[in-house]
């Protein structure tokens, strides 16, 4: 859209109130560049929660530092429970730096000889206060790993079994209270291999249960990350009364104790990050009956983080401000002094800010049930973008979970999907979606691998479908098809999304990690997207040669004919880009203001054909063609 500005007359009749606004705006109170960009762009359904409004996630690692944690479970070569715990915490720190560096993390030891905490509780040592993850904190954790780290830990902190778990929980609660920023999610992860820490002291056991109840009442989640011990870890002896889980988690399903780092990391990953809802909406079964749901992204595309502009002399982040000036007078303009315009039929249609917002607003956000269809009617080609996931939101409408579960069970029982009209946010257009039911699944260790709920599948509109004209080609005979089937069968494998990492992103973050942690050189990321040619050749054997003999003539050689090089004089003889749109049609598009219906590729080819600039955005191409044909 184009910007319209007021002339000198409009600037001369500013009222006193507007002048006060102008002074405030001039001093820097106006919207910055980022906020201005948010006003111009529609808020997409993939927008993630903003820390300024939802608060920050906070996580405290409460680690048992008794002697039993430093003894290997099986053999002397295996990692100790404490080493596994520290490695796990380190992995969370590094992932948080990349994914959500505004979250707050802390490490607290209990069962130490020395103590350090705000309440001066004995045998409780706060190693790191709640703060953002950083390189220095990771380097501090690395000191206590391995055999040398075990010796350093014993010399620095010591061990003492006369601790009180209740006081350790109290110290964690104080850490949350001391934070001055808004916290949206508070969680404690307790790492231990002692299943009954106060078996001989009923007073300490009672205090621990009381403090755990206080945590529950204040909205602090306490998760048990229990590790293997000789004889097995019996959660019913003590911790079943201590732990409390989030509202959307099942207390009755507790994972097994961890004997390996992979299993421990699997448990931690399932708990470390709060499930942030993209939006919380009502699902209307009819105009009088609705319940509330939360919509989540199961998969989020990963990007390189944007570089932060720093002031050269101090390395402090700088903030960019955008100002709009009158082109004739140079006067600074307020947002109220500008309008937006859209070209339509050689005319600029000017609109006020309220009008542009009204154009984008179709209806109030929500899911509106249209009806039900058999699951078999959903085809693979209906998938046009990644799906989202829907889960009941009991905090908004009481009873939502009951009604949601009833709908889920009936859809699973009858093998049907629900069709809905979906408006994610106020300024987003409506979409037709299919709600696909999913049952809960847990693995052998009782760790949830698939939650119960509905997948939101975005269905295509009629405009999204197109008829493709296929060129006539020589069809393959049955023998050739059968041979290719053999090749495909030999090369088939089970694809898993978590088996392939983006090699560019992985190397980028490893380079940053090496710089931050003062490593000699970054670890090289393995590119798992590269085909394993040797393994493929071994599987196929002679099938490729047999297929070539069936398809290509005997004297065919793919390397036999080299491409003819262009001569110096051929440049002038090159044909202009071939365009499918006649000049009369283009004039009609320009006169009706409907050039926007053409694709960017078609617009670029047309601009090249008429010798116009073919680079830039779609609107720039449209403007160039409009100006060209308007002047003829």
């Amino acid at each position: 859209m184009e910007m319209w500005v007021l002339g000198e007359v409009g600037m001369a009749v500013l009222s006193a109130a507007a002048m006060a606004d102008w002074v405030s705006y001039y001093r820097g109170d106006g919207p910055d560049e980022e906020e201005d960009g948010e006003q111009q762009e529609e808020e997409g359904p993939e927008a993630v929660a903003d820390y300024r409004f939802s608060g920050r996630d906070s996580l405290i690692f409460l680690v048992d530092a008794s002697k039993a944690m430093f003894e290997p479970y099986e053999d002397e070569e295996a990692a100790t429970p404490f080493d596994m715990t520290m490695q796990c915490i380190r992995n969370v720190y590094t992932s948080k730096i990349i994914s959500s560096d505004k979250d707050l993390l802390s490490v607290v030891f209990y069962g130490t000889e020395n103590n350090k905490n705000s309440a001066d509780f004995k045998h409780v040592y706060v190693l790191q206060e709640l703060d953002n993850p950083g390189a220095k904190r990771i380097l501090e954790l690395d000191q206590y790993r391995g055999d040398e780290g075990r010796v350093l830990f014993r010399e620095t902190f010591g061990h003492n079994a006369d601790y009180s778990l209740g006081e350790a929980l109290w110290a964690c609660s104080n850490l949350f209270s001391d934070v001055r920023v808004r916290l949206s999610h508070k969680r404690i992860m307790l790492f231990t291999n002692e299943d009954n820490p106060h078996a001989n002291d009923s007073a300490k056991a009672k205090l621990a249960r009381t403090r755990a109840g206080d945590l529950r009442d204040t909205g602090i989640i306490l998760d048990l990350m229990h590790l293997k011990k000789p004889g097995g870890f019996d959660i019913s002896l003590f911790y079943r009364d201590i732990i409390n889980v989030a509202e959307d988690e099942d207390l009755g399903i507790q994972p097994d104790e961890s004997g390996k780092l992979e299993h421990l990391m699997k448990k931690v990953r399932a708990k470390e990050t709060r499930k942030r809802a993209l939006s919380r909406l009502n699902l209307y079964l009819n105009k009088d009956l609705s319940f509330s749901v939360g919509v989540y992204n199961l998969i989020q595309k990963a990007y390189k983080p944007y570089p932060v502009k720093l002031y050269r002399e101090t390395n402090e982040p700088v903030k960019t401000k955008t100002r709009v000036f009158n082109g004739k007078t140079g006067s600074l303009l307020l947002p109220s002094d500008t309008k937006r315009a859209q070209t339509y039929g050689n005319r600029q249609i000017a609109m006020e800010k309220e009008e542009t917002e009204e154009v984008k607003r179709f209806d109030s956000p929500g899911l509106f049930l249209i009806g039900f269809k058999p699951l078999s009617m959903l085809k693979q080609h209906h998938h046009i973008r990644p799906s989202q996931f829907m889960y009941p939101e009991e905090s908004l409408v009481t009873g939502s979970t009951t009604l949601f579960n009833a709908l889920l069970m009936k859809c699973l029982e009858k093998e049907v999907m629900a069709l809905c009209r979906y408006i994610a946010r106020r300024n987003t257009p409506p979409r037709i979606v299919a709600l696909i039911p999913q049952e809960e699944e847990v693995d052998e260790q009782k760790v949830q691998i698939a939650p119960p709920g509905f997948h939101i599948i975005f269905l295509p509109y009629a405009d999204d479908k197109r008829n493709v004209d296929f060129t006539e080609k020589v069809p393959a005979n049955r023998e050739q098809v059968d041979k290719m089937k053999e090749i495909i069968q030999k090369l088939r494998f089970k694809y898993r999304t978590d088996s392939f990492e983006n090699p560019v992103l992985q190397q980028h973050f490893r380079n940053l990690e090496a710089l931050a942690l003062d490593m000699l050189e970054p670890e090289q990321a393995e590119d798992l997207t590269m085909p394993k040619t040797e393994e493929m050749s071994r599987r196929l054997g002679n099938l490729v040669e047999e297929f070539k003999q069936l398809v290509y003539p005997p004297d065919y050689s793919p390397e036999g004919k080299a491409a003819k090089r262009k001569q110096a004089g051929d440049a002038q003889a090159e044909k202009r880009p071939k365009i499918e749109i006649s000049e009369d049609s283009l004039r009609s598009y320009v006169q009706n203001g409907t050039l926007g219906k053409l694709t960017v590729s078609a617009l670029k080819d047309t601009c090249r054909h008429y010798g116009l600039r073919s680079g830039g955005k779609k609107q720039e191409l449209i403007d160039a063609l409009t100006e060209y044909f308007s002047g003829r």
Side-chain angles (χ1 to χ4, degrees), residues 338-462:
T338 61
K339 293 183 179 181
R340 299 175 186 272
Q342 183 77 47
T343 303
Y344 186 82
N346 289 333
R347 290 182 56 198
Q348 283 188 321
I349 312 300
M351 291 178 283
E352 301 289 346
K353 179 183 177 183
E354 293 75 15
E355 291 176 316
T356 59
E357 291 178 353
E358 191 63 31
V359 167
K360 294 188 292 184
R361 191 175 299 117
F362 183 85
D363 201 352
S364 57
L367 285 148
F368 304 86
L369 181 65
I370 298 174
F372 298 91
K373 289 283 187 181
L375 283 171
S376 57
M377 294 190 69
L378 185 67
K379 305 300 181 184
Q380 191 170 5
H381 61 267
H382 291 157
H383 178 90
I384 57 174
R385 52 169 286 184
S387 66
Q388 295 173 348
F389 193 75
M390 191 174 75
Y391 198 80
E393 190 69 39
E394 189 72 19
S395 60
L396 297 180
V397 179
T398 305
S400 294
T401 303
T402 303
L403 193 52
F404 182 94
N405 288 338
L407 178 64
L408 177 64
M409 297 309 295
K410 280 298 178 183
C411 287
L412 287 168
E413 177 186 327
K414 296 182 178 294
E415 297 184 348
V416 296
M417 59 183 174
L419 296 181
C420 296
R421 187 187 71 176
Y422 175 34
I423 301 178
R425 282 181 172 79
R426 186 181 55 183
N427 291 337
T428 54
R431 298 301 304 254
I432 303 298
V433 297
L435 304 185
I436 308 300
Q438 173 178 279
E439 282 188 287
E440 182 181 30
E441 294 181 29
V442 294
D443 61 11
E444 295 82 5
Q445 288 84 27
K446 297 182 180 177
V447 175
Q448 187 187 74
I449 56 176
F454 287 93
H455 287 278
I456 301 177
I457 307 295
F458 292 83
L459 299 178
Y461 281 121

Side-chain angles (χ1 to χ4, degrees), residues 159-203:
H159 306 286
N160 194 310
D162 191 26
Y163 59 84
S164 169
L165 184 58
E167 291 180 348
L169 296 176
W170 196 343
C172 293
S173 180
N174 291 339
L175 288 175
F176 288 122
S177 303
D178 293 341
V179 175
R180 296 304 175 198
V181 298
R182 182 181 176 187
L183 300 177
S184 64
H185 190 59
K186 296 179 281 190
R187 188 186 288 267
I188 299 171
M189 286 190 182
L190 175 60
F191 294 83
T192 182
N193 64 347
E194 177 54 64
D195 55 3
N196 195 4
H198 300 314
N200 301 320
D201 195 330
S202 59

Side-chain angles (χ1 to χ4, degrees), residues 468-473:
V468 181
D469 295 328
F470 293 100
T471 55
E472 289 293 331
K473 293 184 179 180

